[in-house]
Amino acid sequence: MRQTLTIAPAEIARQLALCDQIRALLDQRPGQKLAYVDTYGCQQNEADSERLRGYLARMGYAFSPTEEGADLVLLNTCAIREHAEQRVFGNVGALTHTKRRHPEQVICLCGCMARQDHVAQRLRQSFPHVDLVFGPQLLWQFPQLLLDRLTSGKRVFATEDVPGAVAEGIPVVRQNRQKAWVSIMYGCNNFCTYCIVPYVRGRERSRRPEDILAEVRELAQAGYQDITLLGQNVNSYGKDLGLGVDFAWLLEQVNAIPGEFLIRFMTSHPKDAGARLFDTMAACEKVAPVLHLPFQSGSSRVLQAMHRGYTREHYLSLVDELRARIPEIVLTSDVIVGFPGETQEEFEQTMSLIETVRYDALFTFLFSPRRGTPAERMPDPMPKEQKSANFQRLLQRQNEISWEKHQRYVGGIYRCLVDGQGTDGRLTARTDGGRLVHLAGDPGCIGTWQNARITEASTWALFGDVVEG
């Protein structure tokens, strides 16, 4: 068993003291210092950005809604897909203009992209205006890295391959007053052949349960109503701790915390899901009736080539088990179209799995090779045009299924958490199952649970009115 490395409290205290040093340094310059934090990718990145904002607030920065005029710009990046990388490089290139207008601006790039050698090399050579680059394993050392940049005036690249750790005590600034992300673990041990995550975020490491429960308890006391537990594979939680605890146990403990809040979690890996998880979900009244269970392909051969650890038959048996225990479950998933070597027949197996399961929603991806992964080197004879045609066909069919499923909500009344207001003036809300609802109602409802009567539905959302009383 790989032992989890925990950063000592004294080390975090030293980082907080460095925040105070930075604050004193910034106070010597006129005006309020502004920081702009731009987050790409998954919810784990969002949770990381909340800690980066916590450090920045301790340093004395206020937050800007745009990079223009910001004294510090921080891009927290994602490396999952090529399109995400190219978007980041485009935005980094555009920052030359803001830095030209504001030469003292400090530009930082962190997150998963920063841990890739080819990315770091490109930033060094082609983006001289980028001042600080560091990977996710060094997030806890952000104050030290920033102070080095501010005091030396030299570029800082902290992109070395270091073991991942768990650091408690980093301050947090959350952007939402109703919803909160809580990381329960970091990294991944699965090494799916298409995925870069284990290489850039390191191996699995779980937070101790008492630290997680203390954070959730604090959120519940502060009035947060929608709390999402995060991990690359939450079902692996606790395996590295040697405490005899698992994710189902953690769900039970979080469910027992006093307060009116909903528990969500992601992501579950099918090879580690099963009856114990499903029974716990059914028994815990605060656990939302929704599960994101990525299947990636409907072909057992492709799943083996992906190193997913389950077959088509096993996945379908899990869905049957889940729906037997929670008939009203909202089921979502991920699928990759065009994995190297996928045949047309194997794609048809994916289509038939979608017909069998009938997901409420799918996150669909056209295969994107990631440098350094085994899939990058696999033979890939299917033409891109065929892959694109398959992708569009899958997308169209899933959209039809989502529309059909949403029609069943029309005429019903559902409990929703009202979380905002759209540009059209309507309120935005989520059902317990995570379905987006646009509501006609009083903005005073924001931040409260309301019953909503659904009057119409589209592929992506429900529409309705707040039911009084």
Side-chain angles (χ1 to χ4, degrees), residues 179 416-420 427-431 435-439:
K179 300 180 180 182
C416 299
L417 175 61
V418 183
D419 57 13
L427 304 177
T428 59
R430 293 276 176 178
T431 66
R435 300 299 84 201
L436 173 64
V437 185
H438 296 287
L439 289 173

Side-chain angles (χ1 to χ4, degrees), residues 36-206:
Y36 172 67
V37 179
D38 194 9
T39 307
Y40 301 77
C42 67
Q43 290 87 350
Q44 185 62 66
N45 271 16
E46 293 284 355
D48 287 349
S49 288
E50 291 178 343
R51 278 154 179 77
L52 290 165
R53 289 190 189 94
Y55 271 144
L56 289 165
R58 177 73 177 249
M59 296 170 190
Y61 286 96
F63 296 101
S64 168
T66 175
E67 62 270 22
E68 187 62 51
D71 299 275
L72 182 143
V73 174
L74 191 150
L75 307 180
N76 189 6
T77 64
C78 172
I80 292 296
R81 302 185 69 211
E82 184 179 9
H83 175 73
E85 282 194 12
Q86 295 311 314
R87 181 168 160 243
V88 169
F89 278 126
N91 291 343
V92 170
L95 289 174
T96 57
H97 305 296
T98 64
K99 192 151 187 171
R100 190 177 299 119
R101 292 188 289 270
H102 189 31
E104 295 299 312
Q105 186 177 71
V106 175
I107 298 174
C108 311
L109 187 145
C110 66
C112 293
M113 274 181 65
R115 266 291 299 118
Q116 298 177 97
D117 291 340
H118 71 279
V119 169
Q121 184 178 2
R122 184 174 174 185
L123 290 168
R124 282 182 187 275
Q125 295 176 349
S126 303
F127 299 89
H129 58 292
V130 175
D131 302 287
L132 170 59
V133 179
F134 61 96
Q137 287 93 322
L138 293 177
L139 182 152
W140 68 273
Q141 286 185 291
F142 174 51
Q144 178 69 71
L145 299 171
L146 180 58
L147 184 61
D148 290 346
R149 168 63 185 87
L150 293 174
T151 54
S152 72
K154 298 178 180 179
R155 304 174 80 192
V156 174
F157 278 72
T159 58
E160 59 271 22
D161 186 12
V162 298
V166 172
E168 301 291 348
I170 298 175
V172 177
V173 171
R174 304 183 191 273
Q175 290 193 300
N176 193 298
R177 290 297 305 154
Q178 292 88 43
K179 300 180 180 182
W181 311 110
V182 177
S183 296
I184 66 170
M185 60 189 301
Y186 308 95
C188 184
N189 289 353
N190 289 312
F191 288 91
C192 299
T193 55
Y194 55 83
C195 186
I196 196 68
V197 168
Y199 305 96
V200 296
R201 282 197 170 268
R203 302 299 291 273
E204 287 178 357
R205 50 208 187 273
S206 303

Side-chain angles (χ1 to χ4, degrees), residues 304-315:
Q304 184 178 23
M306 290 177 167
H307 194 233
R308 289 293 288 171
Y310 55 88
T311 64
R312 171 194 178 95
E313 292 73 24
H314 177 66
Y315 184 91

Side-chain angles (χ1 to χ4, degrees), residues 254-324:
V254 173
N255 187 75
I257 292 174
E260 186 181 7
F261 61 92
L262 205 59
I263 304 166
R264 303 185 192 276
F265 58 88
M266 64 187 318
T267 296
S268 285
H269 196 299
K271 74 179 179 61
D272 298 314
R276 174 159 164 73
L277 173 64
F278 304 156
D279 286 340
T280 302
M281 292 177 65
C284 292
E285 73 281 359
K286 292 177 184 173
V287 174
V290 58
L291 182 65
H292 187 71
L293 193 66
F295 74 94
Q296 305 300 4
S297 172
S299 161
S300 292
R301 189 207 66 79
V302 173
L303 289 171
Q304 184 178 23
M306 290 177 167
H307 194 233
R308 289 293 288 171
Y310 55 88
T311 64
R312 171 194 178 95
E313 292 73 24
H314 177 66
Y315 184 91
L316 289 173
S317 72
L318 287 176
V319 173
D320 288 342
E321 278 192 82
L322 174 65
R323 285 179 166 159

